[in-house]
Amino acid sequence: EIKKEVAQSSNNAKGSEQNNQIIDNPNYYLQIPNGWTIKSSEKFNSGELVKLHSGRETGSLSLRFANESVNIDELLQNQINNAKNDNSFENLRIGQQFEKWGGNSGKGVFMKFNSSGVEMNVTYFFAKTERQSLIATYICSSSDQPYLESDVQSIAGSLKLK
């Protein structure tokens, strides 16, 4: 279920309210900041894929929810290996790994690469519960990163796997 709701924005220093979209279903809860749109939401047998767009030239977040628990260490290592072998990731730099994204525990990694002369940032994050898993992929240009970072932190902070 997707609905518009007035919610406190965690990235607004004055604490004023903004209209956020809320997705609250049996598997997860998510607040999407004003200015971001749901580009697509697809259900499939084992879960759901939600694609969000920031409204800037770059800036997208894909959230894949699966109704199964997975090996997140293996997924992270596979993603790193795939990036190393992908020729479209020019000048790939693999950055810091991390274990928290918003309030969710899991495994993630930051990467930078060039694409058609534009420096891009990508964040991969993998989490699981006993009955489901999350694969989050956030990508944006380095020039858009400062404008989008607080929104992405707000999205990550609102995301709750159930």
Side-chain angles (χ1 to χ4, degrees):
E1 171 186 344
I2 300 172
K3 58 185 174 180
K4 279 277 202 188
E5 185 172 293
V6 176
Q8 276 301 107
S9 172
S10 63
N11 65 349
N12 188 330
K14 294 184 179 182
S16 64
E17 296 177 339
Q18 38 172 252
N19 290 322
N20 288 341
Q21 292 184 73
I22 306 292
I23 300 176
D24 190 6
N25 69 36
N27 296 317
Y28 64 93
Y29 174 89
L30 177 66
Q31 286 187 20
I32 304 162
N34 194 30
W36 285 68
T37 57
I38 299 171
K39 191 172 179 181
S40 65
S41 179
E42 306 167 34
K43 293 193 185 297
F44 48 93
N45 288 343
S46 63
E48 182 176 1
L49 175 64
V50 177
K51 294 181 181 180
L52 307 176
H53 190 268
S54 68
R56 294 191 63 87
E57 187 174 336
T58 67
S60 65
L61 175 62
S62 295
L63 302 167
R64 183 184 182 277
F65 302 93
N67 299 326
E68 60 190 359
S69 188
V70 296
N71 182 330
I72 59 176
D73 292 309
E74 183 178 305
L75 283 174
L76 177 64
Q77 194 56 53
N78 287 343
Q79 190 60 53
I80 291 170
N81 291 338
N82 289 342
K84 287 178 180 178
N85 295 323
D86 188 336
N87 293 333
S88 66
F89 285 10
E90 300 168 14
N91 193 25
L92 175 68
R93 281 112 41 223
I94 298 172
Q96 176 181 342
Q97 292 187 21
F98 57 95
E99 295 185 348
K100 278 264 196 212
W101 191 62
N104 296 287
S105 296
K107 300 279 179 140
V109 65
F110 299 110
M111 297 183 193
K112 288 184 182 256
F113 64 94
N114 292 339
S115 177
S116 302
V118 176
E119 185 177 69
M120 301 296 291
N121 299 314
V122 64
T123 301
Y124 295 103
F125 180 74
F126 307 93
K128 68 178 183 174
T129 65
E130 287 183 18
R131 63 180 191 88
Q132 68 174 325
S133 59
L134 164 70
I135 300 172
T137 305
Y138 166 58
I139 188 166
C140 74
S141 68
S142 291
S143 61
D144 279 345
Q145 179 78 15
Y147 302 101
L148 300 175
E149 187 61 30
S150 63
D151 282 351
V152 172
Q153 291 303 318
S154 177
I155 292 168
S158 76
L159 178 62
K160 308 272 186 288
L161 296 176
K162 296 180 181 179

